[in-house]
Amino acid sequence: MEIEAGSIVEGRVVRVTDFGAFVELPGGEQGLVHISQIAHEFVKNVRDFLNEGDIVQVMVKGRDAKGRLDLSIKDLTPAPEGAPPPRPRRLPKQSPEFENKLKSFLRGTGGFGGGKGKKGGGKKKR
């Protein structure tokens, strides 16, 4: 059986990981339902939604660069009405080293924190 993008197939969950679940499709081929493709709501723990042996319907999204199947359960379920928007990603914190360099730069250009600007607290030349 040739599996194409957009196909809806039934499969069995054969392995659950922290990042998703592997589903075996008819014909023995396996694909991954990534944690972001399990439900419309935020999924913290895959095992709250899927367990090994579960029979699920999935949509084939396509194949990745290595030829592995990308699957989705979320694409087969309607988004809930009035649902909160997806959680924003957190930006990584800047290193203290970067912050210090930025402050030093801004001080030297007359930006934030005073410095050598025309109206800043620099010494007058005589």
Side-chain angles (χ1 to χ4, degrees), residues 47-119:
R47 287 170 183 81
D48 291 342
F49 292 83
L50 298 170
N51 294 299
E52 290 181 16
D54 288 352
I55 303 296
V56 293
Q57 276 205 326
V58 294
M59 176 183 279
V60 179
K61 295 181 71 72
R63 292 187 184 268
D64 66 10
K66 294 182 179 179
R68 299 175 294 197
L69 286 172
D70 290 327
L71 307 174
S72 176
I73 295 171
K74 178 171 82 171
D75 289 351
L76 295 177
T77 59
E81 295 281 328
R87 290 175 54 165
R89 293 184 178 177
R90 290 186 187 166
L91 296 176
K93 287 188 174 185
Q94 297 292 338
S95 69
E97 193 174 288
F98 173 80
E99 294 292 333
N100 291 336
K101 286 181 181 179
L102 180 63
K103 286 178 186 175
S104 176
F105 171 77
L106 290 174
R107 268 190 236 109
T109 61
F112 300 107
K116 301 176 186 173
K118 290 182 181 178
K119 295 182 181 181

